[in-house]
Amino acid sequence: MKNKIFYFLALLLPIFCFSATIKVGKSGDFKTIKEAIAAAKSGDTIFVEKGIYREGTIDIEKPISLIGIDRPILDGNLNGEIITFRADRITLKGFKLINSGREEIRSVAAVHIYTSTDSVIENNIFENNYFAIYVQRGNRILINRNKITTNRGNSQENSGDGIHILGSREIWIKNNFISGHKDGIYLEKNAKCYVYHNLSRNNLRYGLHFMFSNDSVYTSNVFDNNGAGVAVMYAMNVSMFNNKFINNWGDSVYGLLLKEISYSKIKGNTFQNNTTGVFADGATKIDFYTNQFEDNGWAIKINANCMENRVMRNNFINNTFDISTSGSTVMNDFRFNYWDKYEGYDLDKDKIGDVPFHPLSLYSVLVEQNPSVMLLFRSFLVDMLDRTEKIIPSLTPESFVDDQPLMKPLQTPN
């Protein structure tokens, strides 16, 4: 054992012996960051004093730490990228990065990681950039406690994403605030990403967007008033726990879009005040557990091509429609949910309704087939349809049923 410890310390010894600190600024060793990086050796730390630095693109091609003191500003002058990572073990902390250039083909960003392992982007402010942070071929990258905003794009076409991850593994995105970009966070062709405790608000398209990204988790995030909340598309094994999808409102807008996704879990989330809480198309083997659906236009729209999904122990409260579907085939399981529209009874006092609940109303079916029928909402005719349905439930698919509805709402995590 002693030999192993000695061997480990021997490996670290060159780092402790030869790493140095370098200062940049009026009283520093160098006046520019580029000069300091050129002089630095692997493992060195460069401290940058307060000031405005306009140096064009700063390429970092060795493992170093770049630390801002009193928030120095790196101004891209709307031309090209501000900092690029082209080596492993790079740390960037404490800066304000503004005014990157704009070019969609090259995905110009304030910080662009071209390839890197074990690097950190932490406690920075990003303002008025095209892409703020762009990671491609990253491995074990931490993006933590950054504030990312822009007012630069007034449409999706002329705005980049706040955090864009491409072809990477083990990316940790934590405690960031992102606003004003096309997508707050965009994950494309990645694996094992962890998205925790971010606030993504007022972005033009999605708060968070998955494409072909498997084996990932997002938890305890807030997606507020984006073009749409979250889209998880062409992915599998994605865990979605304890998030809030709120105020995503407008034509064809949803809190969560599931498109061609399988073997995933949606648990403990709040869907409130969205046009549609969850819209599922081609979703298979998804578990919906202990979620709160409240004050939405539609709580869940689940197309007929979705199968083997389980919707259990969720609360459905004050939604205009609890469930809607595009066909008459039902291949999903609804049980033990609380429905505030349920008017059954519980004679045996086991807290489960004695008669089944049919969450799919005839009116929602008619609206799905012809949206203009929405004009009749809360009319006498719709009341008559609802009453008729209770007498003749076969008007809607008989198998679309919760056989064991709960009499009282459940306690949910959020």
Side-chain angles (χ1 to χ4, degrees), residues 344-401:
Y345 44 84
D346 179 22
L347 296 180
D348 57 5
K349 304 298 182 186
D350 64 353
K351 301 179 182 179
I352 297 174
D354 294 343
V355 293
F357 177 65
H358 293 265
L360 181 65
S361 71
L362 177 59
Y363 181 49
S364 70
V365 173
L366 296 174
V367 170
E368 184 69 26
Q369 297 171 351
N370 188 350
S372 62
V373 177
M374 195 68 197
L375 293 171
L376 299 174
F377 181 56
R378 291 182 179 170
S379 68
F380 174 73
L381 180 59
V382 173
D383 289 340
M384 288 294 293
L385 281 174
D386 289 341
R387 297 298 172 190
T388 303
E389 222 174 349
K390 289 182 171 57
I391 301 170
I392 316 173
S394 59
L395 289 173
T396 55
E398 184 67 20
S399 55
F400 216 126
V401 62

Side-chain angles (χ1 to χ4, degrees), residues 47-333:
F47 292 100
V48 181
E49 294 180 353
K50 185 176 183 179
I52 300 176
Y53 298 83
R54 297 185 178 92
E55 302 187 24
T57 301
I58 299 170
D59 295 313
I60 303 178
E61 298 175 334
K62 60 187 78 170
I64 60 171
S65 295
L66 196 59
I67 310 296
I69 306 299
D70 296 330
R71 195 73 68 188
I73 297 173
L74 307 182
D75 188 345
N77 273 332
L78 302 177
N79 185 23
E81 295 175 325
I82 300 175
I83 288 185
T84 67
F85 286 22
R86 300 175 185 275
D88 299 337
R89 301 189 305 281
I90 296 171
T91 296
L92 179 73
K93 290 184 181 180
F95 288 90
K96 184 174 184 178
L97 300 100
I98 63 173
N99 301 329
S100 75
R102 174 192 166 188
E103 186 180 330
E104 188 158 5
I105 294 175
R106 289 181 54 233
S107 301
V108 166
V111 176
H112 196 142
I113 294 180
Y114 282 93
T115 180
S116 186
T117 296
D118 297 327
S119 290
V120 176
I121 302 171
E122 187 172 58
N123 191 28
N124 302 287
I125 295 173
F126 294 81
E127 288 183 359
N128 198 41
N129 298 296
Y130 186 51
F131 287 88
I133 300 171
Y134 196 107
V135 179
Q136 63 187 75
R137 297 188 298 279
N139 185 33
R140 297 197 300 270
I141 305 295
L142 172 63
I143 301 170
N144 186 31
R145 295 190 184 283
N146 299 286
K147 183 180 180 182
I148 302 169
T149 62
T150 186
N151 294 316
R152 191 161 159 179
N154 52 19
S155 69
Q156 296 181 19
E157 289 71 26
N158 60 17
S159 181
D161 303 321
I163 300 172
H164 188 115
I165 313 294
L166 172 64
S168 301
R169 294 178 65 87
E170 293 190 45
I171 309 298
W172 292 64
I173 303 170
K174 300 169 55 180
N175 305 308
N176 301 285
F177 172 76
I178 312 113
S179 181
H181 283 271
K182 180 164 67 178
D183 288 344
I185 303 168
Y186 182 51
L187 307 176
E188 182 178 0
K189 298 179 181 176
N190 306 291
K192 297 184 177 178
C193 292
Y194 183 65
V195 181
Y196 169 72
H197 202 257
N198 301 282
L199 171 55
S200 187
R201 172 179 285 161
N202 297 331
N203 294 290
L204 301 174
R205 189 168 64 176
Y206 299 115
L208 170 63
H209 189 181
F210 279 74
M211 288 288 284
F212 306 104
S213 293
N214 302 327
D215 306 320
S216 295
V217 177
Y218 68 92
T219 179
S220 303
N221 302 280
V222 176
F223 306 103
D224 177 16
N225 195 32
N226 297 288
V230 175
V232 184
M233 307 172 75
Y234 307 102
M236 60 187 300
N237 192 26
V238 178
S239 297
M240 306 167 237
F241 298 155
N242 302 336
N243 302 285
K244 291 185 178 179
F245 304 78
I246 55 176
N247 304 319
N248 299 292
W249 201 263
D251 293 340
S252 303
V253 171
Y254 25 75
L256 172 60
L257 167 66
L258 304 174
K259 174 72 174 174
E260 302 298 335
I261 172 177
S262 58
Y263 298 101
S264 296
K265 296 184 186 302
I266 301 170
K267 183 177 180 181
N269 303 282
T270 296
F271 299 88
Q272 187 169 25
N273 201 33
N274 305 288
T275 301
T276 302
V278 176
F279 177 52
D281 183 50
T284 304
K285 297 183 184 297
I286 311 296
D287 291 337
F288 297 78
Y289 288 160
T290 60
N291 300 288
Q292 182 88 359
F293 295 92
E294 188 167 357
D295 300 328
N296 301 288
W298 286 263
I300 299 178
K301 282 188 174 183
I302 185 164
N303 279 350
N305 61 356
C306 298
M307 61 184 72
E308 299 184 53
N309 301 295
R310 295 186 293 185
V311 182
M312 296 184 180
R313 309 191 74 80
N314 303 282
N315 291 326
F316 293 84
I317 299 172
N318 199 35
N319 303 294
T320 303
F321 303 110
D322 290 326
I323 303 291
S324 178
T325 186
S326 59
S328 58
T329 304
V330 182
M331 295 179 286
N332 306 292
D333 187 6

